[in-house]
Amino acid sequence: MQDYLKELNERQREAVLHIKGPLMIVAGAGSGKTKVLTTRIAHLMNSGVDAFNILALTFTNKAAKEMKERIEKILGNSEARNLYVGTFHSVFARILRAEAHHLGYPNNFTIYDTDDAKSVVKTVVNEMNLDDKTYKPSTVYNRISSAKNALVGPVEYANDYALQQEDLRGNRPAIAQIYDAYVKRCFKNGAMDFDDLLLKFYELLKGFPESLSKYQRKFKYILIDEYQDTNPAQYEIIKLLGAMNENVCVVGDDAQSIYSFRGATIQNILQFQKDYEDAHVVMLEQNYRSSKSILNVANEVIKNNKGQIPKSLWTDNKDGEKIRLVRTMTDNDEGKYVADSIQEQKLRNHYNNRDFAILYRTNAQSRAFEEALRRMNIAYTIFGGQSFYTRKEIKDFVAYLRIIINSKDEEALKRIINFPARGIGKTTVDKAVLAANTHNISMWEVLERAREFGFKAGTLEAIDNFVVMIKSFASMLQNKNAYEVAVHVGKQTNIVKELFNDKSTEGVARYENIQELLNSIKEWVDTQQNLSQIDEDGTMIETSDNEAVSTGEITLGAYLQQITLLTDADDKDPNADTVKLMTIHAAKGLEFGCVFAAGLEEMLFPNGMAVNTREELEEERRLFYVVITRAKQRLWITYANTRYRFGSLVQNEPSRFIDELPEEYLDRSYAGAAAFKNQGFGARGNTNAFDRMNGGGWGAGGGGRQSAADAEKRYGAPPSKKPAIPSYVTPKPQSKPVEHVPSADFVASDTTNLQEGQKVEHQKFGFGIVTKMEGSAHNPVATVKFDVNGEKKIMLNYAKLRIIQ
DNA sequence: CTGGTTCCTTTTTTT
DNA sequence: AAGGAACCAG
């Protein structure tokens, strides 16, 4: 058991054995960072530190999970489950659930994901009578988010000269007021957004000394992974938590800081030694991952950045192959080339699917690769993009559960109040929200007391039915578990049945998704029951609310909390034998035998949004560094001449980063190298085997930096986007009715009890027979077969029918 | 109020 | 290309 130390190099061991006092581990790419962190925790526990006193914070659930598993493996017992290992967000959310009452929040507060948050922004923007074109929810939300991450509140925001100037220049002077309204609205809704989980936790520690000291005493040892990606809020929290014992260990690599868009500041890691005067620093510079070629290329690239912690990463590994630089004509060709290469490598070098990763700058790039891989029958997994729990049908269903747990959650309420349709439309919702605002009560309360607010009788009935239904769900939770309640909700609302009856491809997928959701709730309920027997750590963190709360409620509340913090990557198996597709951001911390770094084009990578300042550009370069250092044996760097963006073809120049690659490690003999011919790139012009073989193929375009018009000359005009309608296509039948002059005595009849087979007269369509009655009670629809105008669907609430017999 | 159509915006990265 | 908002007819 002690030989875990033997597996470490000298530096790594130094980091593990340094137990007391602040420690910074500068861990270069592939230098065994995770190994050091996990071994260090295991060693702490072996040296008598109680697992309950150790806090380890990561940025992804995946990293947390892996860490826990590896510690368990080293220790060979189940003590590791007592550790506090998790993401900043999930750990703080858990603590806040116990402490929320200090901040005036309910313990069952909802966590708003980005969609919910933007929706709140939109609501307040509209309520303030501001134009939502100028104040786009995403723009405003981003400003608010940055402010929160920098611990700048609405008041500070309004008083900050620089921020005000920025907003003024952007013609958005009201952001400070929107920020203020947004914060108030979230509070009113009993909801915290992602940034609040950090901000509110900070406020808790800052404003409640007894809470601060409670957690200082609990977390005697603190470890932070990816310290280079922490933002000021996280930084202050760590400082506060660690102030008593100063057993703060941070691990990071300034060269891999890629989250400044989320408020991360590289200053945190650069200044660690100033923050803690007696800080011990360990540099891990031996890379165990990559070949010499790959590592050398990475080192060359990162040299172009200023302001790094000086270090030199080296490796004992073999030289390995040169890096293959490949240009293709189009994004689809890029996909095809990559899929072909994977196939070839599998045959030639006996790789498995799991040895390959295709990494790109933006999620939108995945499509071409997906198609190519599917065509070649190569199994793949896409990581990233939309999380399962942010799909519309899932969010709609979950909104029912949310409103059961937290009736103040207006966003959830608005989602479901008329889903499925129950005759409570926009007008009614607006009215309810307005009433809630003027009386300063929740929208739910307005619905509960609906008759005080002058709704029309029909609407009132619909509201009452809705309220009764939701209340029945809530009371059911008192003696049924969360899964049983969820199943009941699905049945009672007809959601499950309606999706089941929808046999379209999307409908079937949605139905399956709902089933999957129900399964995940079941799974959660089952594991929670097991956990409560062990009584994990109820000693410290418990609900301090005195109200009787059923276990069903606790379980469901905890479930809702964790699903919003889950990302797409969390429910996919990283070890499956599939090719992995993901953004470079998502690939941080991972390694693969063969890596394809795709889309190395100006505007895309470096991204067009991130070339305006030196800081932004350097971050893009760090991203490039990250993608290079994911590769163990083989690396391809690919880019395309043209690609589709927003549905139209655009042309990009090769990325400026390509010029930074040292020529001696490059192999340009693969597809597309001929594209450089005659383009004045010097060493780049090699006619090659591939082109000769293919008689042109992907690479023979010839134009390095040609114009779109030029491309048209060579390849012919692109197919017209909207082809002219061939003359043989019969035009869509026009449903213009044959004129009908209503009878002189035409009076609309009461159609409440209209039956099939009855004869009716329609103002425009004339006489006909009712062939079918359908639709819901509040929106009945009759199908009428008219004498001259054929079959029509008539909505009885609006169309006027005269019953003849 | 509802369902269908058309028009418009979007994609940088994520907890 | 695709999803969402705005618009319109029944």
Side-chain angles (χ1 to χ4, degrees), chain A residues 380-668:
Chain A
Y380 64 87
T381 314
I382 300 185
F383 287 77
Q386 206 185 24
S387 149
F388 176 77
Y389 298 97
T390 59
R391 287 163 199 230
K392 193 186 172 300
E393 66 270 23
I394 299 298
K395 281 208 79 167
D396 286 340
F397 193 104
V398 165
Y400 276 96
L401 308 177
R402 277 166 58 177
I403 202 70
I404 297 172
I405 292 296
N406 172 15
S407 69
K408 295 199 290 184
D409 183 352
E410 189 179 299
E411 290 305 315
L413 185 50
K414 283 197 281 198
R415 276 194 101 89
I416 56 166
I417 189 163
N418 201 30
F419 171 81
R422 50 174 70 87
I424 307 177
K426 192 176 178 303
T427 325
T428 311
V429 171
D430 287 349
K431 201 170 167 184
V433 172
L434 187 68
N437 286 344
T438 47
H439 295 87
N440 200 25
I441 54 177
S442 69
M443 180 179 166
W444 171 253
E445 216 175 322
V446 171
L447 299 184
E448 270 186 311
R449 296 159 41 188
R451 53 199 57 65
E452 296 170 38
F453 298 98
F455 290 101
K456 276 191 295 186
T459 316
L460 201 59
E461 197 191 333
I463 293 176
D464 275 347
N465 290 339
F466 175 73
V467 169
V468 167
M469 179 176 73
I470 297 296
K471 280 187 171 167
S472 79
F473 295 156
S475 69
M476 191 177 168
L477 204 52
Q478 301 307 312
N479 41 34
K480 297 270 191 238
N481 73 35
Y483 172 67
E484 293 163 322
V485 173
V487 169
H488 178 73
V489 168
K491 264 192 207 135
Q492 194 70 30
T493 56
N494 261 337
I495 293 177
V496 172
K497 202 174 175 187
E498 268 180 37
L499 284 179
F500 182 76
N501 289 332
D502 183 350
K503 294 300 179 197
S504 67
T505 329
E506 303 83 29
V508 171
R510 279 197 287 268
Y511 177 77
E512 283 168 1
N513 283 339
I514 294 289
Q515 293 305 327
E516 202 177 324
L517 173 72
L518 291 173
N519 286 340
S520 99
I521 298 175
K522 184 164 190 345
E523 215 172 282
W524 177 260
V525 168
D526 292 348
T527 52
Q528 287 301 104
Q529 276 164 359
N530 293 338
L531 277 182
S532 64
Q533 282 162 16
I534 300 161
D535 189 27
E536 203 188 10
D537 56 354
T539 43
M540 273 315 283
I541 293 174
E542 62 206 4
T543 329
S544 43
D545 207 275
N546 290 327
E547 279 174 53
V549 182
S550 68
T551 50
E553 232 173 305
I554 293 172
T555 312
L556 185 56
Y559 173 79
L560 293 177
Q561 179 175 297
Q562 64 111 35
I563 61 171
T564 26
L565 297 174
L566 283 181
T567 62
D568 173 70
D570 295 320
D571 44 32
K572 286 180 177 156
D573 178 11
N575 301 316
D577 188 24
T578 57
V579 174
K580 306 297 186 295
L581 279 72
M582 65 187 90
T583 63
I584 300 169
H585 282 89
K588 194 157 73 141
L590 306 178
E591 58 180 31
F592 303 90
C594 301
V595 166
F596 294 85
L600 261 285
E601 295 145 38
E602 283 294 301
M603 301 311 284
L604 189 61
F605 191 13
N607 194 272
M609 306 294 290
V611 288
N612 299 314
T613 64
R614 155 153 253 113
E615 287 71 32
E616 283 177 347
L617 184 63
E618 293 205 345
E619 177 146 320
E620 294 290 301
R621 190 178 283 112
R622 289 193 292 271
L623 258 180
F624 190 39
Y625 177 79
V626 168
V627 70
I628 294 170
T629 53
R630 296 312 95 195
K632 294 201 273 192
Q633 296 122 22
R634 288 181 164 83
L635 173 66
W636 285 254
I637 294 174
T638 68
Y639 57 109
N641 241 355
T642 60
R643 72 172 62 239
Y644 276 94
R645 196 162 185 250
F646 303 142
S648 58
L649 198 64
V650 295
Q651 199 164 37
N652 289 330
E653 295 180 3
S655 170
R656 67 190 77 184
F657 295 148
I658 288 178
D659 297 330
E660 297 174 5
L661 298 168
E663 198 58 46
E664 68 258 46
Y665 298 110
L666 294 189
D667 180 351
R668 297 172 180 273

Side-chain angles (χ1 to χ4, degrees), chain A residues 192-361:
Chain A
M192 295 193 197
D193 64 20
F194 286 143
D195 305 313
D196 283 333
L197 297 176
L198 309 180
L199 188 62
K200 299 294 167 193
F201 185 53
Y202 170 74
E203 285 173 9
L204 176 81
L205 298 180
K206 196 79 183 162
F208 299 86
E210 67 282 8
S211 292
L212 174 62
S213 113
K214 174 175 166 187
Y215 292 104
Q216 280 180 337
R217 275 181 279 119
K218 176 166 172 62
F219 300 130
K220 294 195 170 71
Y221 293 84
I222 301 172
L223 298 93
I224 320 289
D225 193 13
E226 311 278 15
Y227 191 64
Q228 76 280 356
D229 288 329
T230 51
N231 61 37
Q234 289 160 328
Y235 170 86
E236 293 297 338
I237 290 170
I238 295 160
K239 237 182 149 193
L240 282 171
L241 276 181
M244 191 169 97
N245 300 295
E246 291 214 335
N247 291 321
V248 178
C249 165
V250 303
V251 187
D253 178 6
D254 53 313
Q256 294 184 64
S257 159
I258 54 175
Y259 280 101
S260 76
F261 70 91
R262 211 167 72 182
T265 160
I266 202 163
Q267 292 311 314
N268 290 353
I269 191 160
L270 296 179
Q271 296 204 349
F272 187 81
Q273 293 176 80
K274 286 179 193 139
D275 294 328
Y276 301 89
E277 277 181 10
D278 53 340
H280 188 67
V281 179
V282 177
M283 308 274 278
L284 303 179
E285 291 173 309
Q286 180 173 4
N287 172 296
Y288 293 92
R289 179 185 294 155
S290 307
S291 70
K292 280 202 179 74
S293 304
I294 292 169
L295 195 61
N296 286 339
V297 168
N299 281 337
E300 275 311 303
V301 165
I302 203 67
K303 264 188 203 159
N304 292 296
N305 275 6
K306 301 174 175 173
Q308 303 277 317
I309 297 177
K311 60 178 167 305
S312 54
L313 208 51
W314 58 278
T315 185
D316 263 346
N317 292 342
K318 286 187 286 187
D319 287 350
E321 300 209 347
K322 288 185 172 182
I323 281 66
R324 297 177 187 183
L325 183 63
V326 180
R327 157 178 262 182
T328 62
M329 274 315 298
T330 69
D331 45 355
N332 287 328
D333 291 342
E334 187 184 36
K336 195 165 171 291
Y337 173 80
V338 169
D340 282 345
S341 304
I342 289 174
Q343 189 73 295
E344 186 202 332
Q345 287 296 323
K346 279 172 70 176
L347 296 174
R348 203 186 287 273
N349 296 315
H350 310 291
Y351 282 112
N352 293 309
N353 286 334
R354 66 165 64 83
D355 298 319
F356 298 94
I358 305 170
L359 307 178
Y360 35 75
R361 177 69 235 271

Side-chain angles (χ1 to χ4, degrees), chain A residues 1 6 254 369 385 622 631 789:
Chain A
M1 169 101 111
K6 288 207 191 89
D254 53 313
F369 300 108
R622 289 193 292 271
N789 282 307

